Amino acid sequence: MSTDAAGLGRGRAVGFVLPALVLIGVFLVFPALWTIYLGLTDYRLTGLEAAEPRVVGLDNYTAALGDERFRGSLWLTAQYVLGSAVIGQAGLGFSIAWVLRDRRGPVKRVTEGLVLLAWILPSSVVAFLWIALLDRDEGTLNALLHTPGLAWLLDHPMPSIIVFNVWRGTAFSMMLYGAALANVPPSHLETARLAGASTFQQLRDVVVPRIKGHVLTNLLLISLWTFNDFSAFQITAGGPEGRSEILPIYIYNVALSGGRLGFGAAISFLVLIINLVLAFVYLRLLRTRREDARGPASGAGRRAPGGAGR
């Protein structure tokens, strides 16, 4: 009987991984294939199409690409990802990690605890807190700004859900950047300060080149999470008049509220394609960065034997 590196044998090794493969097949592979199939049909929650769905080919996809509501939702999602993930969570998370990098004591622990608290609280609780904060009549924000009657969720729905998601999701970026900054040698920063480098120059020339991989990894993860985030539904439900209807909310409204499961499945598959493109771009940038980092060292290694011979 053939064995693997651990000496288990092929049969026992398969037995160990089989439960995980079954779970992946049931909860990931099958739903993905079923979604692709539904996207090719006119399946609905009610009516004749629910009992006898017909295969309509690519009609759902062409209808989605020609739908102004879908294009508007895609544009709102791009704003949501850029403002909430790329600028908000990544920028605020790095800023907090940078300020706290050399601090000790209760200030650091309290700050990190408050940021983490926003991340670990259930989204329904966080949504309730933000609705209370932004309420038109008795909201805390209006009381602080002395702007009674200002309806933040109606007049500024997109900035409201962007700030809400930044506050809720910054903890991950803070922790990742905190770990990355801990690996930057303090002597490098001290040398740069003694050379007269400003804080911006230290960040640009010393810190960023050393943590660029962490930055790209963080941007990849939080961009994908934000792109597929549904928690904003608890704040605005996509309103008013679709002004905050990002793609996950749009799919919910079309597929479940509207009953058009086939059309919603087609849009879900398009979202999957967009996610794969985003992941490919980030991974390509990360791979290029690693190749650039290895280049000089590998070149030096190739020249060393020749130099020694001469």
Side-chain angles (χ1 to χ4, degrees):
M1 180 177 63
S2 61
T3 60
D4 55 9
L8 294 174
R10 181 174 299 175
R12 282 179 291 181
V14 171
F16 273 112
V17 301
L18 185 60
L21 294 177
V22 170
L23 291 175
I24 291 174
V26 171
F27 293 105
L28 291 178
V29 177
F30 174 74
L33 295 177
W34 183 248
T35 299
I36 294 174
Y37 165 73
L38 285 181
L40 299 174
T41 70
D42 63 350
Y43 190 78
R44 298 182 66 97
L45 284 176
T46 59
L48 295 177
E49 293 85 355
E52 298 179 0
R54 296 181 300 107
V55 175
V56 295
L58 299 178
D59 289 355
N60 287 328
Y61 294 95
T62 56
L65 295 176
D67 184 10
E68 184 178 352
R69 184 180 171 190
F70 170 74
R71 294 196 299 269
S73 180
L74 182 60
W75 171 240
L76 291 175
T77 307
Q79 297 178 43
Y80 188 58
V81 173
L82 179 63
S84 176
V86 178
I87 297 176
Q89 294 181 39
L92 182 59
F94 179 83
S95 300
I96 296 174
W98 175 257
V99 171
L100 298 179
R101 72 190 188 284
D102 295 327
R103 293 186 178 272
R104 300 292 184 271
V107 174
K108 181 176 182 178
R109 291 194 295 270
V110 170
T111 303
E112 291 178 340
L114 291 175
V115 177
L116 285 171
L117 183 63
W119 193 39
I120 63 177
L121 282 174
S123 61
S124 57
V125 176
V126 176
F128 174 80
L129 293 175
W130 273 81
I131 290 174
L133 175 71
L134 302 176
D135 185 69
R136 171 191 291 180
D137 299 320
E138 299 179 357
T140 307
L141 185 59
N142 281 340
L144 293 174
L145 298 179
H146 303 288
T147 54
L150 180 56
W152 293 94
L153 297 178
L154 296 178
D155 298 335
H156 310 284
M158 279 303 296
S160 296
I161 64 173
I162 287 174
V163 174
F164 154 76
N165 198 54
V166 170
W167 182 85
R168 190 175 64 96
T170 296
F172 179 82
S173 297
M174 179 194 71
M175 292 188 295
L176 191 147
Y177 287 138
L181 291 174
N183 293 322
V184 178
S187 58
H188 291 190
L189 293 174
E190 183 64 25
T191 301
R193 280 194 294 267
L194 293 176
S198 63
T199 301
F200 173 76
Q201 291 171 328
Q202 294 174 42
L203 291 173
R204 182 191 63 191
D205 300 330
V206 179
V207 176
V208 172
R210 294 190 66 91
I211 68 169
K212 189 179 295 183
H214 297 81
V215 172
L216 291 174
T217 300
N218 180 62
L219 288 176
L220 168 61
L221 294 175
I222 63 176
S223 294
L224 293 179
W225 291 340
T226 305
F227 196 95
N228 299 282
D229 179 56
F230 186 72
S231 60
F233 180 86
Q234 301 172 89
I235 302 292
T236 64
E241 299 178 351
R243 288 165 55 199
S244 62
E245 192 180 49
I246 56 178
L247 278 175
I249 299 177
Y250 172 62
I251 293 173
Y252 173 84
N253 289 335
V254 167
L256 297 181
S257 297
R260 303 169 63 189
L261 286 181
F263 187 67
I267 299 173
S268 297
F269 185 70
L270 292 177
V271 170
L272 173 62
I273 297 299
I274 296 173
N275 282 323
L276 292 176
V277 171
L278 284 176
F280 175 79
V281 171
Y282 279 123
L283 292 176
R284 182 64 182 174
L285 290 173
L286 186 60
R287 180 180 177 183
T288 302
R289 180 257 173 190
R290 289 175 176 172
E291 290 175 350
D292 292 342
R294 287 198 306 262
S298 61
R302 287 193 298 269
R303 290 192 298 269
R310 288 191 296 270

